[in-house]
Amino acid sequence: MQVFNNPTAEKYKDLCNRPAMDLTELEPFVGRVFAEVKVGGDKVVNRYSEKFDDISQFRTISADEIRKTAAKITGSLKRSLDQAYDNIYKFHVEQAKGSPAPRTDDETCWQESRAIQSVGLYVPSGLVSSLLMLGVPAQIAKNKTVTVCT
């Protein structure tokens, strides 16, 4: 991982560029991983987690532990998280209504609607922003089971 502390304004554009990926190689690999996980379950997930994320153990966090930890968040961080939640919620509620796809500076967003009961959310490095971007749509969709891995 590269860390950038207080980069100059000139570096912002380079730092924000999305990496180009050759999907002709990526898609077959992802398909193989999915097939392996379907057959091998958690053992295969653990193997890939160790390979790609250097994580060798998992633990389940109870809802009570989550509530106690969330209660410790206060002040400007709590206000920022609440604002982010509200913005993401509003966006995805509009998306659920079939509102036109929004456009960013360099691309048009798209959506595919498909009803599913259970979702798994991968939140790399425990990034709260990723949890919000994945968890809020799952909440709006009223998924019966939401599993978060970080």
Side-chain angles (χ1 to χ4, degrees), residues 81-96 119 121 123 128-143 146 148:
L81 292 172
D82 287 343
Q83 181 66 56
Y85 176 91
D86 290 343
N87 290 342
I88 295 164
Y89 189 91
K90 288 173 189 172
F91 175 86
H92 286 288
V93 163
E94 289 303 311
Q95 210 177 29
V119 294
L121 311 180
V123 181
V128 174
S129 58
S130 294
L131 179 61
L132 287 169
M133 292 299 288
L134 298 170
V136 171
Q139 181 185 37
I140 292 168
K142 295 181 176 47
N143 294 111
V146 178
V148 178

Side-chain angles (χ1 to χ4, degrees), residues 72-107:
K72 295 177 184 177
I73 301 171
T74 61
S76 63
L77 177 58
K78 172 99 170 89
R79 288 188 298 279
S80 295
L81 292 172
D82 287 343
Q83 181 66 56
Y85 176 91
D86 290 343
N87 290 342
I88 295 164
Y89 189 91
K90 288 173 189 172
F91 175 86
H92 286 288
V93 163
E94 289 303 311
Q95 210 177 29
K97 292 178 185 175
S99 298
R103 180 159 178 72
T104 63
D105 289 341
D106 58 351
E107 36 186 285

